[in-house]
Amino acid sequence: MYKGRISEIFKSIQGEGPYFGISQVFVRFYGCNLNCAYCDTRQVYFKEMSVEEVKKNIYTYQDYHSISITGGEPLLQVDFLRELLPQFKYDNKLIYLETNGVLYQNLKKIIPWVDIIAMDFKLPSSCGSQDLFIQHRYFLEEALKRETFIKVVITPSTKEEDLVEAFSIVRSISPEIIFVLQPEHPLEEALKERLGYFLDLGKDYLPNIRAIPQMHKILGVR
Ligand code: SF4
């Protein structure tokens, strides 16, 4: 029996992507394999919890659309997820996986128990990270076995060539997918202009591209 390293479990409103506004129970997994420059979920605390403890905690909540498995990067704890997620399938709960879209080998191990995948596409110029385009390609090919959308964070340092590379990769695999541009700072004028430019650029590649800010920050909810 594996134990999960869990930072927090709580009920709130999904604030990102095309599902913004729905009610979810969030299970935040501790730890991440990346170190994005814009990360707003630096974690300092976790509790080791059994499958039963996590399940019991989730089931104290009622009336929600789905269970968001989030982080950090939850796929780092794939052995625990393999024990946890089947529990919810038997109870007809929807599983919504939020992931940085890199650990495709781990995704393969749990995809039968996932319903919706919110996949990040990390751009080196935005994250200050290495080039992850190959990993994202493999990840997306696997993720498409389930309902999937993609999210890219746009920052003041986002380079057009990185974004065009992302558009091209995604178009070659799934041209109809929902592709979300998410501004790091939604109210910053300079970023709004950049966002508009990138949105127009993306329409030439992906018809379902859209710009959606982090609504929970605008609404002031968790
Ligand atoms: S992948 Fe997400 S949690 Fe990990 S460092 Fe990047 S923004 Fe933070």
PDB file of all heavy atoms in Angstrom, residues 171-187:
ATOM      1  N   ARG A 171      -1.082  21.170 -33.872  1.00  0.00           N
ATOM      2  CA  ARG A 171      -1.863  21.034 -35.111  1.00  0.00           C
ATOM      3  C   ARG A 171      -1.559  19.709 -35.810  1.00  0.00           C
ATOM      4  O   ARG A 171      -2.446  19.094 -36.391  1.00  0.00           O
ATOM      5  CB  ARG A 171      -1.568  22.192 -36.055  1.00  0.00           C
ATOM      6  CG  ARG A 171      -2.432  22.122 -37.323  1.00  0.00           C
ATOM      7  CD  ARG A 171      -2.258  23.315 -38.207  1.00  0.00           C
ATOM      8  NE  ARG A 171      -0.902  23.452 -38.721  1.00  0.00           N
ATOM      9  CZ  ARG A 171      -0.527  24.371 -39.599  1.00  0.00           C
ATOM     10  NH1 ARG A 171      -1.415  25.240 -40.047  1.00  0.00           N
ATOM     11  NH2 ARG A 171       0.716  24.442 -40.018  1.00  0.00           N
ATOM     12  N   SER A 172      -0.317  19.264 -35.748  1.00  0.00           N
ATOM     13  CA  SER A 172       0.049  18.021 -36.437  1.00  0.00           C
ATOM     14  C   SER A 172      -0.553  16.794 -35.755  1.00  0.00           C
ATOM     15  O   SER A 172      -0.634  15.728 -36.352  1.00  0.00           O
ATOM     16  CB  SER A 172       1.570  17.877 -36.495  1.00  0.00           C
ATOM     17  OG  SER A 172       2.098  17.583 -35.211  1.00  0.00           O
ATOM     18  N   ILE A 173      -0.973  16.947 -34.498  1.00  0.00           N
ATOM     19  CA  ILE A 173      -1.517  15.797 -33.752  1.00  0.00           C
ATOM     20  C   ILE A 173      -3.036  15.897 -33.603  1.00  0.00           C
ATOM     21  O   ILE A 173      -3.762  14.922 -33.787  1.00  0.00           O
ATOM     22  CB  ILE A 173      -0.877  15.706 -32.348  1.00  0.00           C
ATOM     23  CG1 ILE A 173       0.638  15.584 -32.458  1.00  0.00           C
ATOM     24  CG2 ILE A 173      -1.442  14.518 -31.573  1.00  0.00           C
ATOM     25  CD1 ILE A 173       1.369  15.743 -31.134  1.00  0.00           C
ATOM     26  N   SER A 174      -3.520  17.088 -33.253  1.00  0.00           N
ATOM     27  CA  SER A 174      -4.945  17.249 -32.952  1.00  0.00           C
ATOM     28  C   SER A 174      -5.399  18.681 -33.261  1.00  0.00           C
ATOM     29  O   SER A 174      -5.543  19.510 -32.356  1.00  0.00           O
ATOM     30  CB  SER A 174      -5.173  16.932 -31.460  1.00  0.00           C
ATOM     31  OG  SER A 174      -6.521  17.074 -31.131  1.00  0.00           O
ATOM     32  N   PRO A 175      -5.636  19.000 -34.533  1.00  0.00           N
ATOM     33  CA  PRO A 175      -5.910  20.388 -34.900  1.00  0.00           C
ATOM     34  C   PRO A 175      -7.178  20.980 -34.289  1.00  0.00           C
ATOM     35  O   PRO A 175      -7.285  22.196 -34.166  1.00  0.00           O
ATOM     36  CB  PRO A 175      -6.019  20.331 -36.440  1.00  0.00           C
ATOM     37  CG  PRO A 175      -6.154  18.897 -36.794  1.00  0.00           C
ATOM     38  CD  PRO A 175      -5.559  18.103 -35.688  1.00  0.00           C
ATOM     39  N   GLU A 176      -8.125  20.148 -33.873  1.00  0.00           N
ATOM     40  CA  GLU A 176      -9.399  20.662 -33.338  1.00  0.00           C
ATOM     41  C   GLU A 176      -9.382  20.853 -31.827  1.00  0.00           C
ATOM     42  O   GLU A 176     -10.366  21.308 -31.238  1.00  0.00           O
ATOM     43  CB  GLU A 176     -10.553  19.712 -33.691  1.00  0.00           C
ATOM     44  CG  GLU A 176     -10.755  19.482 -35.183  1.00  0.00           C
ATOM     45  CD  GLU A 176     -11.181  20.756 -35.903  1.00  0.00           C
ATOM     46  OE1 GLU A 176     -11.906  21.561 -35.297  1.00  0.00           O
ATOM     47  OE2 GLU A 176     -10.761  20.942 -37.064  1.00  0.00           O
ATOM     48  N   ILE A 177      -8.302  20.519 -31.185  1.00  0.00           N
ATOM     49  CA  ILE A 177      -8.264  20.563 -29.715  1.00  0.00           C
ATOM     50  C   ILE A 177      -8.447  22.002 -29.215  1.00  0.00           C
ATOM     51  O   ILE A 177      -8.088  22.967 -29.899  1.00  0.00           O
ATOM     52  CB  ILE A 177      -6.911  19.980 -29.209  1.00  0.00           C
ATOM     53  CG1 ILE A 177      -7.000  19.560 -27.742  1.00  0.00           C
ATOM     54  CG2 ILE A 177      -5.771  20.978 -29.413  1.00  0.00           C
ATOM     55  CD1 ILE A 177      -5.832  18.701 -27.282  1.00  0.00           C
ATOM     56  N   ILE A 178      -9.028  22.145 -28.021  1.00  0.00           N
ATOM     57  CA  ILE A 178      -9.110  23.472 -27.387  1.00  0.00           C
ATOM     58  C   ILE A 178      -7.726  23.842 -26.865  1.00  0.00           C
ATOM     59  O   ILE A 178      -7.094  23.075 -26.129  1.00  0.00           O
ATOM     60  CB  ILE A 178     -10.138  23.478 -26.243  1.00  0.00           C
ATOM     61  CG1 ILE A 178     -11.550  23.296 -26.820  1.00  0.00           C
ATOM     62  CG2 ILE A 178     -10.052  24.772 -25.426  1.00  0.00           C
ATOM     63  CD1 ILE A 178     -12.641  23.201 -25.779  1.00  0.00           C
ATOM     64  N   PHE A 179      -7.267  25.019 -27.264  1.00  0.00           N
ATOM     65  CA  PHE A 179      -5.922  25.485 -26.924  1.00  0.00           C
ATOM     66  C   PHE A 179      -6.084  26.828 -26.231  1.00  0.00           C
ATOM     67  O   PHE A 179      -6.547  27.796 -26.838  1.00  0.00           O
ATOM     68  CB  PHE A 179      -5.107  25.612 -28.213  1.00  0.00           C
ATOM     69  CG  PHE A 179      -3.631  25.825 -28.001  1.00  0.00           C
ATOM     70  CD1 PHE A 179      -2.723  24.790 -28.211  1.00  0.00           C
ATOM     71  CD2 PHE A 179      -3.139  27.058 -27.609  1.00  0.00           C
ATOM     72  CE1 PHE A 179      -1.355  24.982 -28.036  1.00  0.00           C
ATOM     73  CE2 PHE A 179      -1.770  27.261 -27.433  1.00  0.00           C
ATOM     74  CZ  PHE A 179      -0.874  26.215 -27.651  1.00  0.00           C
ATOM     75  N   VAL A 180      -5.730  26.892 -24.966  1.00  0.00           N
ATOM     76  CA  VAL A 180      -5.978  28.092 -24.152  1.00  0.00           C
ATOM     77  C   VAL A 180      -4.688  28.883 -23.944  1.00  0.00           C
ATOM     78  O   VAL A 180      -3.675  28.326 -23.509  1.00  0.00           O
ATOM     79  CB  VAL A 180      -6.552  27.697 -22.768  1.00  0.00           C
ATOM     80  CG1 VAL A 180      -6.723  28.929 -21.882  1.00  0.00           C
ATOM     81  CG2 VAL A 180      -7.876  26.968 -22.937  1.00  0.00           C
ATOM     82  N   LEU A 181      -4.748  30.163 -24.251  1.00  0.00           N
ATOM     83  CA  LEU A 181      -3.667  31.085 -23.889  1.00  0.00           C
ATOM     84  C   LEU A 181      -4.047  31.725 -22.554  1.00  0.00           C
ATOM     85  O   LEU A 181      -5.107  32.363 -22.458  1.00  0.00           O
ATOM     86  CB  LEU A 181      -3.495  32.174 -24.943  1.00  0.00           C
ATOM     87  CG  LEU A 181      -3.189  31.718 -26.368  1.00  0.00           C
ATOM     88  CD1 LEU A 181      -3.035  32.930 -27.281  1.00  0.00           C
ATOM     89  CD2 LEU A 181      -1.944  30.847 -26.426  1.00  0.00           C
ATOM     90  N   GLN A 182      -3.225  31.543 -21.559  1.00  0.00           N
ATOM     91  CA  GLN A 182      -3.538  32.062 -20.221  1.00  0.00           C
ATOM     92  C   GLN A 182      -2.507  33.110 -19.825  1.00  0.00           C
ATOM     93  O   GLN A 182      -1.350  32.781 -19.572  1.00  0.00           O
ATOM     94  CB  GLN A 182      -3.535  30.909 -19.216  1.00  0.00           C
ATOM     95  CG  GLN A 182      -3.857  31.323 -17.794  1.00  0.00           C
ATOM     96  CD  GLN A 182      -3.897  30.137 -16.875  1.00  0.00           C
ATOM     97  OE1 GLN A 182      -4.804  29.323 -16.940  1.00  0.00           O
ATOM     98  NE2 GLN A 182      -2.911  30.004 -16.016  1.00  0.00           N
ATOM     99  N   PRO A 183      -2.919  34.374 -19.749  1.00  0.00           N
ATOM    100  CA  PRO A 183      -1.944  35.414 -19.383  1.00  0.00           C
ATOM    101  C   PRO A 183      -1.508  35.287 -17.932  1.00  0.00           C
ATOM    102  O   PRO A 183      -2.332  35.043 -17.055  1.00  0.00           O
ATOM    103  CB  PRO A 183      -2.722  36.714 -19.612  1.00  0.00           C
ATOM    104  CG  PRO A 183      -4.158  36.331 -19.463  1.00  0.00           C
ATOM    105  CD  PRO A 183      -4.271  34.918 -19.942  1.00  0.00           C
ATOM    106  N   GLU A 184      -0.206  35.440 -17.710  1.00  0.00           N
ATOM    107  CA  GLU A 184       0.298  35.360 -16.331  1.00  0.00           C
ATOM    108  C   GLU A 184      -0.317  36.465 -15.476  1.00  0.00           C
ATOM    109  O   GLU A 184      -0.709  36.229 -14.344  1.00  0.00           O
ATOM    110  CB  GLU A 184       1.829  35.493 -16.349  1.00  0.00           C
ATOM    111  CG  GLU A 184       2.450  35.392 -14.976  1.00  0.00           C
ATOM    112  CD  GLU A 184       3.937  35.726 -14.994  1.00  0.00           C
ATOM    113  OE1 GLU A 184       4.419  36.318 -15.976  1.00  0.00           O
ATOM    114  OE2 GLU A 184       4.619  35.395 -13.999  1.00  0.00           O
ATOM    115  N   HIS A 185      -0.387  37.677 -16.033  1.00  0.00           N
ATOM    116  CA  HIS A 185      -0.990  38.798 -15.303  1.00  0.00           C
ATOM    117  C   HIS A 185      -2.128  39.340 -16.169  1.00  0.00           C
ATOM    118  O   HIS A 185      -1.897  40.135 -17.086  1.00  0.00           O
ATOM    119  CB  HIS A 185       0.034  39.912 -15.058  1.00  0.00           C
ATOM    120  CG  HIS A 185       1.261  39.438 -14.344  1.00  0.00           C
ATOM    121  ND1 HIS A 185       1.224  38.945 -13.063  1.00  0.00           N
ATOM    122  CD2 HIS A 185       2.548  39.352 -14.740  1.00  0.00           C
ATOM    123  CE1 HIS A 185       2.436  38.592 -12.691  1.00  0.00           C
ATOM    124  NE2 HIS A 185       3.265  38.818 -13.684  1.00  0.00           N
ATOM    125  N   PRO A 186      -3.387  38.934 -15.893  1.00  0.00           N
ATOM    126  CA  PRO A 186      -4.496  39.252 -16.804  1.00  0.00           C
ATOM    127  C   PRO A 186      -4.793  40.737 -16.949  1.00  0.00           C
ATOM    128  O   PRO A 186      -5.371  41.149 -17.942  1.00  0.00           O
ATOM    129  CB  PRO A 186      -5.688  38.505 -16.180  1.00  0.00           C
ATOM    130  CG  PRO A 186      -5.294  38.208 -14.781  1.00  0.00           C
ATOM    131  CD  PRO A 186      -3.810  38.105 -14.762  1.00  0.00           C
ATOM    132  N   LEU A 187      -4.411  41.531 -15.960  1.00  0.00           N
ATOM    133  CA  LEU A 187      -4.801  42.939 -16.016  1.00  0.00           C
ATOM    134  C   LEU A 187      -3.685  43.844 -16.509  1.00  0.00           C
ATOM    135  O   LEU A 187      -3.850  45.056 -16.587  1.00  0.00           O
ATOM    136  CB  LEU A 187      -5.287  43.393 -14.625  1.00  0.00           C
ATOM    137  CG  LEU A 187      -6.443  42.557 -14.073  1.00  0.00           C
ATOM    138  CD1 LEU A 187      -6.822  43.018 -12.675  1.00  0.00           C
ATOM    139  CD2 LEU A 187      -7.663  42.638 -14.990  1.00  0.00           C
TER     140      LEU A 187
END
